[in-house]
Amino acid sequence: MNFSNSFFILMASVSLTIVSCKTSAVKSETPIKQSKAEVISIIDQVNNRWQTTHPEFGNAFWHVSAYHTGNMEAYKVTKNKKYLDYSLAWAEKNQWMGAKSNNKSEWKYSYGENDQYVLFGDWQICFQTYIDLYNFTGKNDPRKIARAQEVMEYEMSTKANDYWWWVDGLYMVMPVMTKLYNVTGNEMYLEKLNSYLAYADSIMYDDEAKLYFRDAKYVYPKHKSANGKKDFWARGDGWIFAGYAKIIQDLPKTAKHRTEYINRFKDMAKALADAQQKEGYWTRSILDPEHAPGPETSGTAFFTYGFLWGINNGILDKKDYLPVVEKSWNYLTKFALQADGTVGYVQPIGEKAIPGQVVDKNSTADFGVGAFLLAASEMYRFVK
């Protein structure tokens, strides 16, 4: 046997060994075969685990409230009264309010965790669930939405339009505007939504990549990923992608900016599909997988929800995007979901992809569970 043949056989053997030894989080693509009952079982496994291990009701700040947005979707598809009661008890504990100051002269919308930050979106996401609870329980108790109306109507009466200065805030508050529009019929909610979103787009949206930076601090080239690329944070883009799905479904078909929002949603869908990892997840820095490699669940779950909602409502082409969902759903249910119902691989609270940060099967959080419930509820609507 001559040298060239020996070398070829050796290299082929090495290649086969590498391929056979290489492992990944999940198989690259598995067709979705669950029935509606099986999806409900997954929802119950996750939500019962969360609620039984969190019997205390937290405050109305963003991360707790984000869980409740997922719990509301879980209630819609399961009709499990325990889920409704859990959110009702949380809302009562928080007096159907976000930040509790009644002195409008001190209300602020920069970052803040005390009761003066009434106009800060992280204290307004709770209104989404309060409005849902108001609608679910017969609309016979206006107290449930009184604070939401007071705060948002005051906000809309001001001349400021820069209330949404970070991408997370778009998920937190955009659906509040559309939900209150549907309750009140007040067109001002839709006009101000567009005004505030236009400001956010002007400082965070990248028209080339069709994705959002987390906030103005992270805009390229002022900020770059570890490898000199644009650094789009997965959970940040997950917030807005899910936010678009939520507002489009609430808008009347004739709404002035509905087509514009749909087009933005579709542009994001294509960009996100192109960046999905073969194992089904998205890395924390979407376009630079090596910046913070490995699986992350919260962004992946929000994306899965958005893709499924788009498919279910004829906005995204099933032929193009079902393969994306097959991979991400497989990741969420076969890898991120643990045997005891814990949703793992959720990046902790933060605002960026952090190289070297540990995100493993024990990494869970309320907002990550909420995102998983959103995706699973939309999967229930998808399966036959």
Side-chain angles (χ1 to χ4, degrees):
M1 183 180 294
N2 63 37
F3 173 80
S4 61
N5 287 341
S6 299
F7 180 78
F8 177 80
I9 292 170
L10 175 63
M11 292 308 293
S13 174
V14 169
S15 297
L16 285 171
T17 301
I18 291 172
V19 169
S20 65
C21 291
K22 186 177 181 180
T23 59
S24 60
V26 290
K27 294 178 181 177
S28 62
E29 193 170 322
T30 300
I32 297 162
K33 296 179 178 177
Q34 284 107 339
S35 65
K36 286 188 179 295
E38 288 168 328
V39 176
I40 291 291
S41 178
I42 291 170
I43 292 172
D44 288 340
Q45 180 189 16
V46 168
N47 216 14
N48 288 336
R49 169 70 180 178
W50 185 261
Q51 293 187 7
T52 56
T53 56
H54 294 81
E56 73 290 349
F57 302 110
N59 64 15
F61 204 40
W62 73 268
H63 55 91
V64 184
S65 297
Y67 161 75
H68 284 275
T69 65
N71 187 48
M72 287 293 90
E73 287 303 306
Y75 171 69
K76 285 181 188 178
V77 299
T78 65
K79 302 302 181 188
N80 186 333
K81 189 172 182 296
K82 184 173 73 169
Y83 300 164
L84 180 71
D85 290 344
Y86 188 84
S87 284
L88 279 168
W90 165 76
E92 287 287 353
K93 186 248 183 183
N94 288 290
Q95 303 169 52
W96 302 90
M97 301 173 79
K100 295 183 172 62
S101 167
N102 286 313
N103 180 1
K104 291 183 174 64
S105 68
E106 69 179 17
W107 286 5
K108 303 173 185 176
Y109 61 96
S110 55
Y111 184 91
E113 299 185 17
N114 67 42
D115 281 333
Q116 294 182 340
Y117 290 85
V118 174
L119 304 179
F120 177 43
D122 283 8
W123 282 113
Q124 296 173 344
I125 178 178
C126 58
F127 298 152
Q128 291 188 45
T129 297
Y130 300 166
I131 298 162
D132 284 346
L133 291 170
Y134 170 78
N135 289 327
F136 294 160
T137 54
K139 300 184 180 181
N140 56 5
D141 186 358
R143 175 181 64 103
K144 292 174 180 172
I145 60 169
R147 179 65 168 187
Q149 287 184 273
E150 177 192 18
V151 169
M152 302 315 296
E153 287 175 9
Y154 172 83
E155 186 167 304
M156 295 189 304
S157 75
T158 70
K159 294 181 179 179
N161 72 341
D162 57 346
Y163 287 104
W164 302 343
W165 48 266
W166 76 117
V167 74
D168 318 32
L170 300 176
Y171 179 86
M172 310 304 170
V173 198
M174 290 200 308
V176 173
M177 308 293 271
T178 54
K179 287 175 184 290
L180 281 174
Y181 164 76
N182 282 324
V183 168
T184 66
N186 183 351
E187 293 281 348
M188 183 65 72
Y189 284 108
L190 303 189
E191 293 170 22
K192 290 293 187 176
L193 182 155
N194 190 68
S195 173
Y196 301 161
L197 179 55
Y199 172 78
D201 287 348
S202 75
I203 63 169
M204 290 183 282
Y205 183 67
D206 186 280
D207 193 54
E208 179 187 46
K210 308 300 183 187
L211 295 170
Y212 283 79
F213 295 107
R214 194 273 177 178
D215 61 53
K217 297 192 304 291
Y218 295 98
V219 173
Y220 182 90
K222 179 169 64 175
H223 169 83
K224 299 177 183 178
S225 71
N227 295 299
K229 300 179 180 180
K230 293 179 178 180
D231 188 13
F232 297 104
W233 180 44
R235 184 156 71 238
D237 276 277
W239 289 124
I240 178 58
F241 192 58
Y244 273 122
K246 277 176 158 276
I247 66 167
I248 294 166
Q249 65 193 265
D250 279 347
L251 288 172
K253 293 290 192 290
T254 56
K256 185 176 179 182
H257 299 285
R258 188 172 185 271
T259 300
E260 176 185 330
Y261 301 153
I262 288 173
N263 289 338
R264 176 63 53 82
F265 177 76
K266 291 168 76 171
D267 284 345
M268 286 194 72
K270 184 178 187 311
L272 291 168
D274 290 343
Q276 186 183 30
Q277 301 302 297
K278 66 181 185 300
E279 297 90 351
Y281 59 80
W282 281 262
T283 52
R284 284 163 276 170
S285 183
I286 296 172
L287 299 186
D288 187 357
E290 298 308 313
H291 176 87
E296 200 286 312
T297 296
S298 60
T300 298
F302 280 128
F303 296 149
T304 304
Y305 164 70
F307 281 116
L308 275 167
W309 180 84
I311 292 169
N312 285 342
N313 290 276
I315 289 173
L316 298 180
D317 188 275
K318 182 178 176 181
K319 175 174 62 68
D320 292 334
Y321 291 104
L322 184 56
V324 175
V325 170
E326 287 173 340
K327 289 187 288 187
S328 64
W329 180 247
N330 198 45
Y331 160 78
L332 289 172
T333 56
K334 300 296 198 316
F335 189 75
L337 178 58
Q338 306 304 301
D340 66 356
T342 298
V343 176
Y345 296 90
V346 177
Q347 184 190 2
I349 289 175
E351 62 176 47
K352 61 184 177 181
I354 303 172
Q357 183 181 38
V358 174
V359 178
D360 60 21
K361 67 179 183 180
N362 299 310
S363 304
T364 193
D366 38 20
F367 55 87
V369 174
F372 187 101
L373 293 173
L374 284 177
S377 299
E378 205 58 41
M379 179 57 75
Y380 172 87
R381 298 180 177 107
F382 172 79
V383 298
K384 296 291 185 285

